[in-house]
Every structure is written in C-alpha cells, then in structure tokens.
Amino acid sequence: MKIDVNQHLTLGAKRTLKAFRIAMFEALGENEFDKITVNDICQKSEYPRATFYNYFDDKLDLLQYLWSYIGHDIFQKLPDITRNEDGLIETFNLLLDFFHNNKPLLENLKKSNGVDSHLWHNTAGYLKREANEIIVEHCLPSTSKRVPAKLLARFYSDLIVGMLEWCLFEQPDVDKETADKYLTTLLHGGL
C-alpha cells in the first residue's frame, strides 16, 4: 500500500479506503479475482483510477489490504486468548463464521477452482500469517523447551487453515460442532 493505514488518516482517506474495500468485496462476490479489473473497482467505488493508484499499486495490493482489514476485524473479536486449545478453536470458528456469513465471496471462491484458486491461496496465506502471529504472541508459552514456539505456531496455523479449507470446500455440509470435534482430535494428535 502506498499509505500507512496505521497512521492517522483523514476522514477523506478513510472514506476512500472504505469505498475501495466495499467495491473489491462486491466485485469478489460477483466475479473471479483474475477477471476483476482496476476499472471495475473504480466504477463500483465511484473514484477515478488516479485515486486508486494514489492508494494501491494494483488490485492485488487492494486485495491484501482487504484481507488485512477483514482479518483485523475478525481477530479483534477473539476473547482474551488463553494458552490452551480453546483460543485455537475460537479462532477457527470466527474464520468459519466469516465465510459462512459472506456467501457471495464463498461461492466465488468455489467457482474459481476453490482451494486451487489464486484468490484462495492469497486468502489462506494471509490467514496463516495472521494466525501464526496471534498464536506466537498470545497462545504459546514463551518458555517451551520441547518445540520452538514459532514452529508450533506454524503447525497450528497450518492446521486451522487446513481445517477451514476442508470445511469450506471438501465437506461444506459439516456442522461447526463436528468440525470443532475433529479439530480438537487433531490438536491432541489423534488419528
């Protein structure tokens, strides 16, 4: 991104970013990511291309911003994460709820090759990075001697995103309670 969203933003900048977020989210609900153009986004947002390029390098840059915005919103909803599996299961449930509550986006992902789509790889990569940071920061004891914390966080974030992929694309009819039970079993090393 060409601007730092962690700095103080003017009301105009906030409105502009919101318009581009909404436009991209709507476009993702209607069309495959690869078929969405900057012109489509500008038309939906009612901002000119020049304004788009004042904020973003390209549509992939906007997509990264969209995931970070959504991820920040999702992860803020996490309760005070404890150092046990409950925080991991709650993280998984919030992610699952997000996709179930955003059916057009989920349907777009499914029709765009599902787990093999560019859009999902981008999404999953972002989710893994965020989950990894949260797990290292909040869930893992920093004094673990058996397995390095960063390796353990990578394992858990891969597991959470893997379960999410399975629930969204391979077994979309699985209920949350069953998915939670499978995740708990996997967390305990059960096969």
Side-chain angles (χ1 to χ4, degrees):
M1 271 190 74
K2 293 182 177 177
I3 64 168
D4 185 357
V5 294
N6 297 318
Q7 299 295 322
H8 176 71
L9 297 174
T10 65
L11 288 176
K14 289 178 184 178
R15 274 193 303 270
T16 304
L17 287 170
K18 181 178 180 180
F20 284 131
R21 277 195 317 268
I22 291 169
M24 177 58 104
F25 202 67
E26 286 176 6
L28 289 171
E30 298 167 359
N31 212 343
E32 297 174 27
F33 176 74
D34 294 336
K35 293 181 181 175
I36 297 169
T37 66
V38 170
N39 284 339
D40 296 333
I41 296 163
C42 291
Q43 185 177 19
K44 285 183 178 299
S45 68
E46 298 182 355
Y47 279 92
R49 286 174 58 91
T51 302
F52 177 88
Y53 287 112
N54 284 336
Y55 288 83
F56 305 101
D57 292 323
D58 52 27
K59 67 179 186 175
L60 189 57
D61 195 22
L62 171 57
L63 184 65
Q64 288 293 98
Y65 169 66
L66 178 66
W67 294 147
S68 68
Y69 183 84
I70 291 168
H72 180 72
D73 184 55
I74 290 171
F75 294 126
Q76 272 191 329
K77 293 177 184 170
L78 285 172
D80 185 24
I81 299 178
T82 59
R83 295 177 185 267
N84 60 33
E85 69 189 39
D86 292 341
L88 298 172
I89 292 169
E90 184 64 23
T91 301
F92 166 73
N93 286 328
L94 285 170
L95 292 170
L96 191 60
D97 288 344
F98 168 78
F99 284 100
H100 285 158
N101 293 332
N102 292 281
K103 294 282 187 201
L105 176 61
L106 181 56
E107 291 308 313
N108 187 357
L109 284 166
K110 288 179 180 181
K111 75 179 181 186
S112 302
N113 282 342
V115 294
D116 295 325
S117 73
H118 174 67
L119 179 58
W120 178 253
H121 284 285
N122 186 280
T123 306
Y126 170 77
L127 293 174
K128 284 180 185 181
R129 283 189 306 278
E130 287 297 309
N132 208 350
E133 287 180 26
I134 289 171
I135 292 165
V136 166
E137 186 177 332
H138 298 287
C139 294
L140 299 174
S142 58
T143 58
S144 174
K145 303 265 191 236
R146 296 187 322 183
V147 177
K150 288 187 177 183
L151 178 59
L152 199 54
R154 183 175 181 177
F155 170 78
Y156 286 140
S157 62
D158 286 347
L159 178 60
I160 289 169
V161 173
M163 276 293 301
L164 188 63
E165 286 179 1
W166 185 79
C167 290
L168 295 176
F169 302 110
E170 295 176 37
Q171 296 294 320
D173 295 329
V174 70
D175 60 272
K176 193 187 297 187
E177 292 76 28
T178 302
D180 286 351
K181 186 169 57 172
Y182 291 157
L183 181 56
T184 300
T185 300
L186 289 170
L187 287 168
H188 289 260
L191 300 175

